Amino acid sequence: MKGFTRRVRDLDRALFRMLFGLKWAPLTAVMRAFTVAGTAGALWGFLAALAFLFTGLEPLHLLIPWAAVAASWTVAEGAKYLFDRARPFMWDTEIAPLTKTPSSSSFPSGHSATAAAGALTLSVLYPPFAPALVLAGVLVVLSRVYLGVHFPFDVLAGVIIGTATAGVVLAGASLVA
């Protein structure tokens, strides 16, 4: 088992170095903007509120994304205490993150959890906007690795948490509706 764990860790670190090594000033600005907007699910809460106001004031269209984002953030942040994984810049002191460095555990990514939950629930509620919502979610997720504050498997775990949480919230909402 140790050999498998070591190979997974080494793959994660190699993927990190590859993605972190892709630097282009215009992309860095975009990634910083998406990482800031994605903090604590703010982007998704704002988009849900905006859509709610402009599409008929349906309470569930506001509550579903908010509940999914809040639940996914809570699960991801709680899980950080179970795993206590060092962030990339702590693992390798030669890595200089391109954004404010969080002090919490690296695994799983809360930004990625809320991005998946927000993008998925809003895409289900507003299908015409799904491509833009998914793109925004992908940019939030990738920004965390690009900026040097998460390993790829951290963001993958966050996406899994967000997707599962969104699925549970959407299923529960379908019972209420």
Side-chain angles (χ1 to χ4, degrees):
M1 189 64 164
K2 282 186 180 181
F4 174 74
T5 303
R6 190 175 304 118
R7 285 193 302 272
V8 169
R9 183 197 65 212
D10 291 347
L11 173 62
D12 198 21
R13 288 177 177 175
L15 289 170
F16 170 79
R17 286 196 181 283
M18 182 183 73
L19 292 170
F20 185 69
L22 302 173
K23 296 299 175 253
W24 182 46
L27 183 58
T28 300
V30 169
M31 292 300 192
R32 282 183 177 143
F34 274 92
T35 225
V36 168
T39 302
L43 173 63
W44 313 107
F46 173 76
L47 291 175
L50 195 63
F52 170 75
L53 291 173
F54 287 105
T55 61
L57 305 174
E58 291 289 330
L60 281 179
H61 284 206
L62 183 62
L63 296 176
I64 290 170
W66 280 8
V69 167
S72 65
W73 184 84
T74 301
V75 170
E77 292 302 308
K80 288 178 185 284
Y81 293 101
L82 298 174
F83 295 100
D84 195 29
R85 183 180 193 195
R87 292 191 180 261
F89 57 88
M90 296 168 143
W91 158 71
D92 182 346
T93 56
E94 291 183 17
I95 295 169
L98 303 173
T99 190
K100 181 181 173 200
T101 57
S103 59
S104 61
S105 172
S106 188
F107 186 89
S109 166
H111 276 75
S112 300
T114 60
L120 179 59
T121 54
L122 287 166
S123 291
V124 167
L125 295 171
Y126 307 101
F129 300 103
L133 293 163
V134 170
L135 176 61
V138 167
L139 288 171
V140 170
V141 169
L142 291 177
S143 75
R144 305 306 288 161
V145 178
Y146 181 92
L147 296 172
V149 293
H150 277 291
F151 290 102
F153 289 176
D154 301 340
V155 298
L156 176 61
V159 167
I160 291 168
I161 289 168
T163 302
T165 305
V168 168
V169 170
L170 287 165
S174 71
L175 297 175
V176 175

